Amino acid sequence: MLRRIEADVRPQIGAGQVAAYIPALSCVDPNRFGMAIADLDGKVYGVGDWRQPFSTQSITKVFALALALAQGGDDLWERVGREPSGNPFNSLVQLEYENGIPRNPFINAGALVVTDRLQTLTGDASSELLEFLRQESGNPDVTFDPEVAASESDHGDRNAALAHFMASYGNIANPIPALLDHYFWQCSIEMNCADLALATRFLARHGLRADGTRLLPRRLAKQINAVMLTCGTYDAAGEFAYRVGLPGKSGVGGGIVAVVPGVCTVCVWSPGLDPQGNSVAGIAALDRFTTLTGLSVF
Ligand code: DON
């Protein structure tokens, strides 16, 4: 089935634009495509470039949110909302109207609040996240890409503006330079489709980690999946629900993870992005996946 999906989406592989606003991301070959499915027990099936590491970028926002909720509980929701923003992922515009409370944890402003919370809880947010991803993927080689982190930092004025603006409303607790560093390191983590499908499994397993221990109560796993469905693909979340019908989270590296609760996880990667910052071939592949299998939540 994966081979059929790859053949079906071949005309769209290479379509769209590779993210250029972070120079270190702009040199990726747009013609790459990989897809992996992990079942609940951790068996992985893949096609194409499914073992090729790529920049996870905003996909890590899901894992940071899960860790912040697992360790700090629902207090986080006093500082960040759970509604789609209808704006680009790096937009500043709603923050002033809404008193420094970002719409959701998957736009950059919301993710900065989540990383701030994780930093308060752990003292080392990005290392905590990396260790979690290594454990859940079973891959000790998952690591940061220092070149991408430095490039993000060099071109991080927009994120710095978001952090300072929220700090002016009292919604950032840690020193902003350190917070931004942890956020940029978090975005720079490199993983392949198999790693990401495996690491996302706790959301398909109703909160259970790879080793069988519980990361999250069932309620929180359900709620994170719901926020992924409504907010995981920025101002294209409605279109993603319409075409794919699964909780999903994208990143500007061209990856998307999706969850079929109680069944499996899927990760697809192809670097060409649509204007909203979501992988063109990735969305097409997930659309084919849910259409061919019927494995959508709808
Ligand atoms: O904050 C940024 O601009 C990036 N490091 C994360 C971008 C990202 O993947 C968000 N959207 N797709």
Side-chain angles (χ1 to χ4, degrees):
M1 190 206 36
L2 284 170
R3 280 195 294 272
R4 177 169 170 192
I5 292 171
E6 185 186 33
D8 288 351
V9 304
R10 175 127 321 265
Q12 293 173 76
I13 299 173
Q17 300 290 323
V18 172
Y21 77 105
I22 304 167
L25 293 182
S26 63
C27 21
V28 180
D29 175 1
N31 295 309
R32 310 303 293 263
F33 175 87
M35 187 167 181
I37 298 176
D39 71 13
L40 293 188
D41 298 324
K43 189 162 187 336
V44 184
Y45 306 81
V47 75
D49 298 314
W50 64 297
R51 292 188 193 278
Q52 171 69 40
F54 60 90
S55 193
T56 54
Q57 292 293 317
S58 286
I59 295 174
T60 56
K61 293 176 167 99
V62 173
F63 306 107
L65 175 66
L67 289 181
L69 288 171
Q71 298 189 23
D74 285 308
D75 291 357
L76 178 70
W77 298 121
E78 289 167 18
R79 297 176 53 192
V80 59
R82 301 187 290 260
E83 291 293 342
S85 71
N87 279 308
F89 62 83
N90 56 3
S91 174
L92 284 143
V93 75
Q94 271 165 345
L95 272 181
E96 184 166 18
Y97 297 120
E98 300 184 357
N99 301 318
I101 306 290
R103 273 290 172 104
N104 68 67
F106 296 148
I107 52 175
N108 287 9
L112 285 161
V113 169
V114 171
T115 301
D116 184 58
R117 180 83 178 120
L118 196 57
Q119 179 65 7
T120 300
L121 290 165
T122 66
D124 190 349
S126 52
S127 301
E128 189 83 12
L129 185 66
L130 181 66
E131 187 50 36
F132 175 78
L133 292 171
R134 285 178 175 167
Q135 286 177 11
E136 295 310 293
S137 66
N139 181 358
D141 296 329
V142 169
T143 190
F144 301 116
D145 180 335
E147 193 196 338
V148 170
S151 193
E152 301 248 11
S153 181
D154 289 345
H155 297 83
D157 291 330
R158 181 66 76 110
N159 286 315
L162 290 168
H164 282 286
F165 197 65
M166 290 189 290
S168 78
Y169 287 93
N171 199 14
I172 295 293
N174 290 280
I176 288 175
L179 167 63
L180 290 171
D181 278 349
H182 281 285
Y183 174 77
F184 295 140
W185 282 105
Q186 165 184 325
C187 292
S188 83
I189 292 174
E190 281 212 330
M191 297 172 78
N192 63 36
C193 289
D195 295 331
L196 274 165
L198 286 168
T200 310
R201 267 189 320 145
F202 68 92
L203 288 173
R205 286 158 52 95
H206 307 295
L208 286 187
R209 294 186 64 159
D211 65 3
T213 61
R214 185 163 284 286
L215 175 70
L216 301 166
R218 291 179 75 97
R219 169 185 66 84
L220 275 174
K222 176 189 79 173
Q223 290 169 345
I224 293 174
N225 281 328
V227 181
M228 287 170 73
L229 179 77
T230 53
C231 309
T233 41
Y234 321 110
D235 44 340
E239 184 69 10
F240 188 82
Y242 175 78
R243 289 186 61 189
V244 177
L246 289 175
K249 181 75 200 83
S250 60
V252 294
I256 308 176
V257 295
V259 182
V260 189
V263 180
C264 66
T265 55
V266 187
C267 179
V268 60
W269 171 58
S270 195
L273 306 179
D274 63 21
Q276 284 80 33
N278 299 306
S279 168
V280 173
I283 291 186
L286 289 168
D287 180 344
R288 289 303 290 148
F289 170 77
T290 52
T291 300
L292 288 170
T293 62
L295 290 174
S296 141
V297 299
F298 299 110

